[in-house]
């Protein structure tokens, strides 16, 4: 139950971040710095939380080194592959369509969890996955290119939408594989706050190296173009940070597939926030309510199903 609640809260945080990213992409102020700013915010927040509330460091050894290595790999998968493609996809295709395509995260996470962690997919997980996926399909059926669900993004070209869809698929693969790697890391180093911090630092290191090696007339200094974050950039970065911390803690209490499926309700939070709260896209309507009901039923099954069902 605790793991499920944390996963649901993480999904809400990621949905809030998606809407904030969409709002930020409408402005040219500091545009292009959203990803790196969000990773910096994650590193600072997680580092401070780890410093004041984290447990004592474990004794140095092979297990700790393995945990740190897996946390670093998860950081590259989530903060670089997953987050870069997430921001770009929302800019190209909108928050709702990106959220729908990223519902493939449970597929990737369940596959990698089965391969590397030996997790068995129970019947309750299968039922929940079918219900959540059914809800997503309801939102897609009869809505080619999500007409009317994209609102301000309705004028995007087909080429931009296709590129955004490809980016969203890459984001799903990045985050899905990161779920399994995080769970693997905590088998050696069971400290979620340390995991978020190490993952963010590994992402920053990757950005530094890639920036210095950028093919241009002269090497660019890392982060030389970063500007003061706008309000929307701050909201997106802080929301992603909270969501990532919540999902790390949820993995301590639940299986990878369960966390991934519950976190997939992000798309419904995103549709509600984008359509009714911030009004960045058109309200999804009755179809959304039916789809959300199915997804909620799937999450409820995971919450009440007996272990092993």
């Amino acid at each position: 139950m605790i793991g499920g609640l944390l996963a649901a809260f993480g999904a809400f945080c990621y949905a809030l971040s998606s809407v904030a990213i969409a709002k930020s992409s409408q402005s040219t102020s500091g545009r292009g710095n959203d990803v790196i700013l969000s990773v910096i915010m994650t590193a600072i927040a997680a580092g401070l939380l780890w410093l004041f509330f984290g447990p004592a460091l474990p004794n140095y050894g092979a297990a700790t080194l393995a945990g740190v290595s897996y946390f670093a790999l998860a950081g590259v998968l989530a903060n670089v592959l997953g987050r870069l493609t997430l921001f770009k996809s929302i800019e190209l295709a909108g928050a709702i369509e990106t959220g729908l395509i990223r519902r493939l995260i449970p597929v990737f996470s369940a596959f990698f969890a089965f391969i590397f962690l030996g997790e068995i997919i129970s019947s309750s997980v299968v039922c929940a996955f079918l219900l959540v996926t059914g809800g997503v399909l309801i939102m897609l059926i009869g809505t080619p290119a999500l007409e009317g669900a994209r609102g301000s993004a309705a004028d995007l070209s087909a080429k931009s939408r296709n590129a955004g869809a490809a980016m969203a698929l890459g984001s799903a693969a990045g985050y899905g594989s990161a779920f399994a790697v995080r769970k693997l890391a905590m088998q050696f180093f069971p400290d979620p706050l340390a995991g978020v911090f190490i993952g963010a630092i590994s992402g920053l290191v990757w950005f530094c190296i890639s920036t210095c090696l950028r093919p241009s007339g002269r090497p660019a200094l890392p982060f030389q173009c970063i500007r003061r974050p706008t309000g929307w950039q701050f909201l997106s970065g802080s929301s992603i940070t909270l969501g990532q911390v919540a999902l790390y803690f949820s993995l301590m209490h639940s299986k990878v597939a369960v966390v991934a499926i519950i976190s997939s309700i992000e798309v419904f939070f995103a549709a509600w926030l984008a359509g009714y709260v911030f009004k960045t896209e058109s309200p999804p309507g009755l179809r959304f309510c039916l789809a959300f009901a199915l997804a909620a039923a799937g999450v409820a099954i995971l919450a009440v199903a007996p272990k092993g069902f």
Side-chain angles (χ1 to χ4, degrees), residues 112-120 179-181 183-185 187 256:
F112 287 113
F114 175 77
I115 297 297
F116 297 108
L117 299 172
E119 288 192 0
I120 304 301
F179 272 120
V181 176
K183 183 77 170 183
L184 183 61
Q187 293 182 355
V256 171

Side-chain angles (χ1 to χ4, degrees), residues 157-267:
S157 66
K159 183 177 180 180
S160 294
R161 289 198 299 269
N162 292 335
M167 291 290 179
L169 183 62
S171 180
Y175 278 111
S177 56
F179 272 120
V181 176
R182 288 168 180 169
K183 183 77 170 183
L184 183 61
M186 283 192 287
Q187 293 182 355
F188 299 95
F189 192 174
D191 189 339
L193 291 175
V196 177
F197 176 71
I198 294 170
I201 293 298
S202 66
L204 291 177
V205 170
W206 187 92
F207 284 121
C208 282
I209 295 174
S210 63
T211 302
C212 290
L213 297 180
R214 180 184 301 166
S216 60
R218 61 182 180 85
L221 295 176
F223 317 134
Q224 65 178 3
C225 298
I226 292 180
R227 301 176 183 177
R228 181 179 178 180
T230 64
W232 291 113
Q233 288 174 337
F234 180 82
L235 178 60
S236 66
S238 57
S239 298
I240 283 184
T241 299
L242 284 174
Q244 194 165 340
V245 171
L247 291 179
Y248 259 96
F249 274 98
S250 68
L251 286 170
M252 294 186 66
H253 301 280
S254 303
K255 290 184 177 181
V256 171
V258 171
V259 173
I261 290 173
I262 294 178
S263 65
S264 68
I265 63 174
E266 169 198 341
V267 63

Side-chain angles (χ1 to χ4, degrees), residues 15 40 110 269:
I40 291 174
F269 286 131

Side-chain angles (χ1 to χ4, degrees), residues 14-267:
Y14 271 97
L16 180 59
S17 175
S18 295
V19 178
I21 293 168
K23 291 290 290 186
S24 176
S25 67
Q26 296 173 2
S27 170
T28 58
S29 176
R31 192 173 182 178
N33 296 317
D34 303 61
V35 179
I36 187 64
L37 285 170
S38 70
V39 177
I40 291 174
M41 291 176 61
T42 298
I44 294 174
L48 291 175
L49 289 172
W50 185 29
L51 179 63
F52 290 104
F53 302 106
L57 289 173
N59 295 327
Y60 177 80
T64 302
L65 182 60
V68 171
S69 300
Y70 285 126
F71 277 140
L73 175 59
V76 173
L77 291 171
N79 293 315
V80 178
L81 175 60
R83 200 174 297 198
L84 270 176
T85 50
L86 168 65
F87 276 67
K88 190 62 177 178
S89 175
I90 292 174
E91 182 179 338
L92 292 173
I96 295 179
E97 183 169 350
T98 295
L100 289 172
I101 297 174
R102 289 180 72 247
R103 292 317 93 219
L104 290 173
I105 288 177
V107 176
F108 288 106
S109 61
F111 172 76
F112 287 113
F114 175 77
I115 297 297
F116 297 108
L117 299 172
E119 288 192 0
I120 304 301
I121 307 301
S122 64
S123 56
S124 61
V125 170
V126 173
C127 290
F129 176 77
L130 291 176
L131 286 170
V132 173
T133 303
V136 173
L137 290 176
I138 286 176
M139 293 184 68
L140 285 172
I141 291 175
T143 317
L146 294 182
E147 286 184 7
R150 204 189 321 269
S152 61
D155 58 342
L156 292 175
S157 66
K159 183 177 180 180
S160 294
R161 289 198 299 269
N162 292 335
M167 291 290 179
L169 183 62
S171 180
Y175 278 111
S177 56
F179 272 120
V181 176
R182 288 168 180 169
K183 183 77 170 183
L184 183 61
M186 283 192 287
Q187 293 182 355
F188 299 95
F189 192 174
D191 189 339
L193 291 175
V196 177
F197 176 71
I198 294 170
I201 293 298
S202 66
L204 291 177
V205 170
W206 187 92
F207 284 121
C208 282
I209 295 174
S210 63
T211 302
C212 290
L213 297 180
R214 180 184 301 166
S216 60
R218 61 182 180 85
L221 295 176
F223 317 134
Q224 65 178 3
C225 298
I226 292 180
R227 301 176 183 177
R228 181 179 178 180
T230 64
W232 291 113
Q233 288 174 337
F234 180 82
L235 178 60
S236 66
S238 57
S239 298
I240 283 184
T241 299
L242 284 174
Q244 194 165 340
V245 171
L247 291 179
Y248 259 96
F249 274 98
S250 68
L251 286 170
M252 294 186 66
H253 301 280
S254 303
K255 290 184 177 181
V256 171
V258 171
V259 173
I261 290 173
I262 294 178
S263 65
S264 68
I265 63 174
E266 169 198 341
V267 63

